[in-house]
Amino acid sequence: AGTLRVGMTASDIPLTTGQTDQGGEGMRFMGYTVYDSLIEWDLTSADKASVLIPGLATEWTVDPDDNTKWTFKIREGVTFHDGSPFTAHDVVWNFDKLLVPESEQYDPRQSAQGKSRIPAVASYKALDDFTLEIITKTPDATLPYQLAWILMSSKANWEALDKNWEEVAKAPSGTGPWKLTGFVPRERAELVPNEAYWDASRVPQLDKMVLMPLPEPNARTAALLSGQVDWIEAPAPDTIPALTGNGMEIVSNAYPHNWTWHLSRLEGSPWNDIRVRKAANLAIDRDGLKALLGGLAIPAKGFLPPASQWFGEPTFEVKYDPEAAKALLAEAGFGPENPIKAKALISPSGSGQMLPLPMNEYVQQSLAEVGIEVEFMVVEWNQMINLWRAGAADPSVDGSQSINFTYFIQDPFTGLIRHLSCDLIAPNGTNWGHYCDPEMQALFDEIKTTFDPEAQNAVLRKTHEKYVNDALFLMVTHDVAPRAMSPKVKGFIQAQNWYQNFSGITIEE
Amino acid sequence: MTVVADTAEVAEPVRKAPGYWAGVFKRFLNDPVAVTCTIVVLLLILAAIFAPYLGLNDPYKASMIKRLKPIGFPGFPLGTDEQGRDMLARLIYGGRLTLFVGLVPVVLAFFIGSTLGLVAGYVGGWINTIIMRTVDVFFAFPSVLLAIAISSALGAGIINSLVSLTIVFIPPIARVAESATASVRALDYIDAARATGGSALTIIRVHVIGNVLGPIFVYATSLTSVCMILAAGLSFLGIGVRPPEPEWGLMLNTLRTAIYINPWIAALPGVMIFITSLCLNLLSDGLRSAMNVKD
Amino acid sequence: MVPLVEFENLKVRFKGERTVHAINGLNLSLQPGEMLGLLGESGSGKSVTLKTLLRLLPPKRSELEGSVRVNGTDVMSLSGKALARHRGGEVSMIFQEPALALDPVYTVGEQIAETVMRHKGVSRVAAMDVALDMLTRVRIPSPERRLKTYPHEMSGGMRQRAMIALALSCRPKLLLADEPTTALDATVQIQILLLLRELQKEFGMGVIFVTHDIGVAVEVSDRIAVMYAGNLVESGTAAEVIKNPRHPYTKGLLAANLHGAVKGQRLDAIPGSPPALETAPDACSFADRCPQATNRCRSALPPVVDISGQHKVACVLETANV
Amino acid sequence: MSKTEASFGQTDRGGPHQPLIIAKDLKKHFPIRSGLLNRKTATVHAVDGISFEVQKGETLGIVGESGCGKSTTARLLIGLIELDDGSIIYDGDALGTDIKLKELRRGVQMVFQDSYASLNPRLTIVDSIAFGPKIHGHADPSGVARGLMGRVGLDPERFAERYPHELSGGQRQRVNIARALALSPRLVILDEAVSALDKSVEAQVLNLLNDLKEELGLTYVFISHDLNVVRYISDRVLVMYLGEVVEVGPADAIYAKQAHPYTASLFAAMPSMDPDNRTEEPPLAGDPPNPIDPPTGCRFHTRCRFAEDICSKTKPKLSVIGGSERHLAACHLQDTTSGHSQALKEVAE
Amino acid sequence: MFAYLIRRLVYVLPVAVGVSIICFLLVHIAPGDPLTAIMPVDATQEEQAAMRSAYGLDKPLPVQYAIWIGKAVTGDLGKSIATGRPVAGEVFSAVKNSLLLAFTASVIAFPIGLLLGFIAGYFRDTIIDRLVTAFAITGVSVPNYWLGIVLVIVFSVQLGWLPSMGAGPGGSGQWAWDYAHIKHLILPSVTLAVVPIGIVARTVRALVGDIFSMDFVQALYAKGMRHGDVLRHVIRNAAPTALSVMGLQLGYLLGGSILIETVFNWPGSGFLLSNAIFQRDLPLLQGTILVLALFFVSMNLIVDVAQAAIDPRIKRS
Ligand SMILES: Nc1ncnc2c1ncn2[C@@H]1O[C@H](COP(=O)(O)OP(=O)(O)OP(=O)(O)O)[C@@H](O)[C@H]1O
Ligand SMILES: Nc1ncnc2c1ncn2[C@@H]1O[C@H](COP(=O)(O)OP(=O)(O)OP(=O)(O)O)[C@@H](O)[C@H]1O
Ligand SMILES: [Mg+2]
Ligand SMILES: [Mg+2]
């Protein structure tokens, strides 16, 4: 019971119609709360990496003869908040909403958020009310991960509201454990429990959850300390002593997010030499950095967090060893007297970037000490996104040889494949550094064609081992998604995931 | 020459009269507040210019272990910032950029605005109409809004800040210059000079500039503190000077969260902005009264 | 009979960036109903003399000595209510620039009525009636309408009439007029002068009329007093002073006024300019400009000599004649 | 007087009988803008068709009430404001066709009423005087300036480096006169040049003006509202009313007998200097009418004692009166054919 | 009076057009793609192109301006790129909140500024004057965004007396004049009031000082007016100018509260603007700036007309 007031880092209430915006935070607060997807993440455990579990689909199989044909069993007895039943036809309707511009329900805004999440999907149809068939373009075993992105909104509600998405935004309807009862743009949104939720264990115990956008970290901290909210996302590290000093609780956990420098592998890049890459990875004192972040970081051991089910056993140990770094550089023909010169793209701000400036300066300092002289090209976050899309070869990056980006690494595709796949070289995809290695490509193909989850995990581990052993990125730290909350908040379990389950929370009055 | 002897002046001691500026200077020196403020501003400027020779710590050198140390920490007289950089060095180096971005737009706007105003005020007619109506349009924006709008359009960066602040301050200066010029132009001595056949340019140079520059200058000095606060505000918003450059507004921004750890350190850049703008204001007031300029 | 005004050895000194000895031992009296012309060039202390009568000098920067009595009351001793009653009630004043002396944001009627209400304690409506009556008396055309106009909507002559109406609205015993016609055209000036003369007869008040124009003084005054450097150099009836000027300064002024000047002939101009008054004079202030000055003039203050009846001159040259 | 200064001046071209300046039908109307879109809604008829001439070596006095257009006339003569209509002929040369404004300005200079406003407060006295010679390329402008200072009775040693605010009104007006003389003009226009001065100082300056005129052979246009001063200094007097000439003639003739009722009123308005014979009746009532909307016919008819119907209908012409061919007046009373009932009688007297 | 009003209105038109052109150009001279912020980071080129043409961003500038202004005059400022909501509604509700803040700040600032300025002008060149002037200069010298942060620390975090952010328990949508809501106004409006207090105080001081040294004040004393009467006259004379200074300040408060609204998370136009800036939400940015600038223009207009109405010296033909 009670009301939970949450201070989000977003500057606005995320899109409420289904497929949310505002990145991970949007999915967390307005996606998995009001809506469900066919396949979901298991958010019940804090201790182990979270895995996929059935959502609106109870089971799914791939046709052994035709690896592009998938069949999904749709959960029966699920109803939307407006009371209409959920069926396989609704899934088709929702796919059309995102993928078919000609369809009546096509919503460019949701499409912009969702379409690129399901690149594998070629076609889909409802075999009956509770059976869905999806055909992929090529065999792709990562489809379940892709489908975990797609949220189901109610067709009946949309029709009741004159087929007008703007109206739906004000009174949306999903199948999720929370119902949106009202919101003031940029100020607050109010959610109440959906008592009829299909998973009884996830019926919220609170009376109400209020979401407030509070993009400014100081404002969030002040709001929590002055009792205007009970829970804040991403408290600034420096405010944590004050928060704990005032009895607030800091909750954090590893989650699939990293803070790296994506390296250019174009002709002439100093990063083409593996010794230089390894040296750079050995030059950084990640524990010092952790201090800067108020302890709220996990020093990188690889591209994925050490606790990841796909971490594997890489032979190259990512650690702080400046002497080894110098030795490697000397071997490559460089040293403090004869430093390597590199240019790096960074942004002073940006969502999920932790403390980009201090951190980058720290990295710059560390690299300089072993003999890598980095010059920064500082651009605004939005500009940075453009440059990231454009790729290292684009003139607009002005010869920069790395880009500092934080990556969401929750599933195989977004976590690993999209960064280094040969067919996704920018600007066609997000392989910023123009890396293309047949060995790696083969691994990627194997991931896509390995339909047995355990076998697929094994391939993923091999892939990650190669990431680390080849030192393909400058791997710095992992975020721990800290959140601060008032001692009144009880029953929250922080999963190792971007999304969280708010159903078990109660407020002690 | 003897014919007018009876009207000649009664003997008075021979003396060389002090010039107008000498008088201004003397009056200014008699104003202790203004003098103190001038000294403070000058010290800040000198410190900023000669920062590299003051034996300060490297303002960019970070140290995670020594972050947010209090004022008086050994080796760091004013403590350290959120990255363990020396606050004293950063404040002094920060004065460079802050004063630069705070003063240069006013100087530029002073030249451009005065020229526009002088031309509009002296020539009049449709030239005046064009210039002053354009100025009116820019005047329709509150200065903060205009600065933010232009800066956000141009994007962050020192040059962009300079450009946007200069644009913000040209219209008010042009207005003051225009009205000062128009009122001087109506005085008889301008007519007398025109009657001697001087060209417009000569008359502006000899007779107009000297008499309108005073009020414009005083007005411009009163804008410096506004400009500095505004410039720092742009950096504070993240559309001004870019990190890691030390700049007071930006430091204020990046130190915001440190308020919970070491409020005094976090307050320092604000104190610097406050002191400087206070001194600039008082200096401008002193000039105003020394130059006898009415609002 | 108690004189209406009596200055006894008045000295006024201004402190500040530089000291000004504005009035230096002035002795002057005025009988009730008498009209005195106070003549002198700029800076001779005419306005200061008038302001002393109303205690209008800045209290912090001026030092006064001697005594000033109006109707037997010591003006210096007045304060608070008594002073307010004195100002405007007993003594009122007309200023040189009515455009500056009238409040620009109140109508003429309001400003007159306000004075009447203050001094006579009558209602607003009654005060407005008085104002209307006064405007009629100063011959302002369509006075009802003028009552509601603002000062800037009137011509200079009209404003000065309104100012006179205001000054006379409470029937003062003494009217002070500080160069009331200097800013006006000759044709308007003569209208105002005649109006003042008429009103003075009608109201029977004493008037001190300050001017630097001898002609104007002659037009209005029964008596003329000539000031120079903060003191009187000559005083007497208008006829005495004009027809029989005794002080070299008075003579010079008359000559400079082109009284009987012949075209093409050089004027007997007084050379030089008035003294700066930075120190209190200890000799004849005019000596430096006087063609007849002797050592005696430069060594001590000149005596005041009675020529006849009211005619007095402050000049050593006259001692011989008496 | 040294050679250089003389040669710096201008030479006579038209001969002694050519008037130095002839003003023909000068007009200046100032627009008054207001209302929607700031359009012109009214005009001030500041100068409305006046003609006169100034002979070489004479002093022409101009008198009239405030706002009648005296200063505007002066400014038109020296080209400080543009003529709306009419022409100016300087020593036989028409301005605009035969000579340029710049040339006219070397021959005509002006002294203004406000001695303080007519000096640049930021320039020393010597620099102010030297400005004209300097821009005309004189070799030693400050030498000229110092010479002139001596001539106007200001010791250059003591005053050259001073600023205007350190001078008394009389001294400043001397500086203004020196500045006007710096280009060796032949005609000096004095617009109320002595009005702001104290009487004793005024006399000094009048003496100075007389001396300079004699010494340098100057011609004056002397504007004043003080009839005593005008009489003392002028050879001829021109009387203006609401932008028009009502009477012009030799000073003595006008002082002896005013042909126009307005001139007569103006003279009657002078304060008497005789305590036994003071003015009893104001010669004129009210203020002059508004120049925005001047009365029809004779502009003076609204205030004239002799006004009749004809006066409000027909504008009287400026014509010769009483035998002296240089004494002209614009009044129906003076015109036997005007149809004014008193006109003939007046002449018959 | 009516003609004056019309003339001022007509005069405002070209200014308004100029303002709209500047607003329009401002956001189009900007580097970077406005769509970046709302597309998922890995959206493809075609997806971006589709989005661009959906927002009309592929047309030439003059055409875009014509379309924009044509709709703007009918009150349609387009749709926000980031939220898809109509800009007009967004701006309207934000400006409403900003006005609330600006008015409250004015209610705090103007009486204090007027009083201080009057006292200083009355006691000109005394110690009181100097104290007031020092206070006023401090007001205009302090960076108010910094002051805001300090106030939050002291009054919200340390003392816990006042809320640190937001517009009340129910958000601005449920604004009510009760203490629960009003207490949210206190810190931001006090912070916002500091600068206008200084400016109003300084202006009024100079004004009152000048009026006291005018001749008519002496004339008032000369006709026997007591202190109180003279003060009444001085106030009446100062009123038009003081009024116009206050009017302008109100306009500045509205347009200049962006930093304060950011600090206090106040859901006003400044906050909207800073969101629009960081998301490069063109229609929103344009619309907000346009509405604020036009508000400022109208404010000036109102001030001029009001001044003309109460100041008999101004010609009202
Ligand atoms: N308030 C004052 N403070 C300082 N000096 C003053 C003040 N009032 C007058 N004086 C000085 O006192 C002297 C006499 O001034 P006053 O005004 O009486 O002259 P005036 O005869 O009225 O001259 P004017 O004809 O110019 O009005 C002048 O030197 C003047 O500068
Ligand atoms: N620049 C101008 N714009 C509009 N009206 C003007 C201008 N200059 C003069 N006037 C008007 O023209 C008329 C004549 O003015 P002018 O200055 O020539 O008069 P004046 O005879 O010199 O008066 P005064 O004796 O007051 O100096 C007046 O009504 C005046 O208001
Ligand atoms: Mg006086
Ligand atoms: Mg004039």
Side-chain angles (χ1 to χ4, degrees), chain A residues 13-20 30 34-35 168-170 172-173 180 183:
Chain A
I13 303 296
L15 192 57
T16 57
T17 46
Q19 209 63 46
T20 65
M30 197 54 77
V34 180
Y35 299 95
V168 173
K170 291 177 198 157
S173 168
L180 182 73
F183 77 105

Side-chain angles (χ1 to χ4, degrees), chain D residues 30-31 44 46 64-73 113 191-192 225 291:
Chain D
F30 293 107
V44 179
E65 274 168 296
S66 172
C68 70
K70 305 184 295 287
S71 300
T72 307
T73 307
Q113 167 170 10
D191 186 3
E192 311 258 14
H225 55 248

Side-chain angles (χ1 to χ4, degrees), chain C residues 41-42 155 185 187-188 191 194 197 218-219 221 243 257-259 262-263 265-267 270-272 289, chain D residues 65-66 198-200 204 207 211 229 231-232 234-235 271-273 276 278-280 282 284-287:
Chain C
E41 48 189 320
S42 185
S155 71
D185 255 317
T187 53
V188 182
Q191 296 168 20
L194 296 186
R197 235 158 66 183
V218 170
E219 281 289 3
S221 320
K243 294 190 172 151
N257 212 47
L258 308 171
H259 188 60
V262 181
K263 190 168 174 320
Q265 209 174 343
R266 292 188 65 72
L267 299 167
I270 307 168
R289 302 173 79 186
Chain D
E65 274 168 296
S66 172
D198 262 317
K199 281 293 164 197
S200 64
Q204 296 170 10
N207 275 341
D211 294 340
V229 174
R231 174 188 204 174
Y232 170 73
S234 313
D235 301 308
S272 141
M273 283 297 288
D276 303 325
R278 309 201 287 199
T279 314
E280 290 307 331
L284 270 183
D287 298 303

Side-chain angles (χ1 to χ4, degrees), chain C residues 193-210:
Chain C
L193 292 181
L194 296 186
L195 173 71
L196 267 177
R197 235 158 66 183
E198 228 171 282
L199 292 171
Q200 190 252 342
K201 277 198 204 102
E202 194 180 330
F203 287 65
M205 68 220 158
V207 177
I208 301 182
F209 190 104
V210 160

